[in-house]
Amino acid sequence: MRVPLLLVLVSLVGVAAGLSVPGWADLALLAGLCALASAILFGAALLRLEPRAAADPKWVIVDGSNVMYWKGDTPQIETVRQVLEHLADLGFSPGVAFDANAGYLLAGRYLDHAAFSKMLGMAEDRVMVVDKGTPADATILATARDLGARVVSNDRFRDWLDQHPEAGRPGALIRGGFVDGALWLALDDAALRPVKAQAGSGP
């Protein structure tokens, strides 16, 4: 990045010298060509930086079957949606995973990832419903490990620490809940101040 920029600056100095000193017109032409080539290299270097930054989002995996009980100990999809939206507002790239029975608890029937995606207003590839008989905990922790992500849940995952010791490290889990209808999340630096509950999110 620095080399192309340095070449641009040196070439521009050469152009200025060639134009100001009699008999150095050839130098101005050569330096001008070098300046153009250096500018192209500098632009290409900038473009290479952008995808790298975009490919490194702040992933976070939400334990949907846990979070849906955060408000009043009653399973509510709106609770999950509010947490997901707030995480996105904080700059995270959230995904969410549910146990297979989550649909029965929320709607009295089985719901797949497409149904949850529509209910949550998020892309289908960000929503996972594990197969019946498969614990969501293992999937959540494995996904978080693969992505280098943190997990939003009040579950301590103690039964899985032998297989996923990273879940026991400080900051790996983000706890949260609602106090007087206001959402709070505990991050590394400090617990966030309560956030006003959105209209229609319940008491």
Side-chain angles (χ1 to χ4, degrees):
M1 181 67 135
R2 293 179 179 176
V3 173
L5 178 59
L6 182 60
L7 289 174
V8 170
L9 295 176
V10 171
S11 299
L12 290 176
V13 170
V15 171
L19 293 175
S20 60
V21 178
W24 284 24
D26 290 340
L27 175 61
L29 177 60
L30 180 60
L33 292 174
C34 289
L36 178 61
S38 301
I40 292 172
L41 289 174
F42 182 67
L46 284 176
L47 289 175
R48 282 197 298 273
L49 287 178
E50 291 179 3
R52 210 167 14 239
D56 188 26
K58 291 168 58 178
W59 288 111
V60 65
I61 307 300
V62 174
D63 180 356
S65 292
N66 181 275
V67 170
M68 68 184 186
Y69 282 97
W70 279 10
K71 187 179 291 185
D73 293 326
T74 301
Q76 300 177 60
I77 193 64
E78 176 60 28
T79 304
V80 181
R81 178 166 46 240
Q82 188 172 344
V83 170
L84 289 166
E85 290 176 353
H86 188 58
L87 287 166
D89 289 342
L90 291 173
F92 289 100
S93 294
V96 60
F98 293 94
D99 288 307
N101 70 339
Y104 290 100
L105 296 170
L106 290 164
R109 60 186 178 86
Y110 175 77
L111 298 175
D112 61 12
H113 72 284
F116 272 113
S117 171
K118 183 178 292 187
M119 293 170 70
L120 293 169
M122 63 189 306
E124 289 188 22
D125 61 359
R126 296 291 184 94
V127 181
M128 180 182 299
V129 179
V130 301
D131 294 332
K132 183 178 179 181
T134 302
D137 290 358
T139 301
I140 289 169
L141 295 176
T143 303
R145 181 175 59 193
D146 291 345
L147 294 175
R150 301 170 70 185
V151 175
V152 177
S153 179
N154 286 337
D155 190 340
R156 295 302 186 185
F157 300 101
R158 291 188 177 91
D159 294 339
W160 299 93
L161 292 180
D162 287 343
Q163 298 176 43
H164 295 277
E166 70 279 358
R169 295 172 187 160
L173 305 179
I174 300 174
R175 297 175 60 249
F178 287 79
V179 177
D180 296 328
L183 169 64
W184 64 271
L185 294 173
L187 300 177
D188 288 342
D189 46 357
L192 292 177
R193 290 189 296 274
V195 181
K196 286 185 178 180
Q198 296 177 356
S201 59

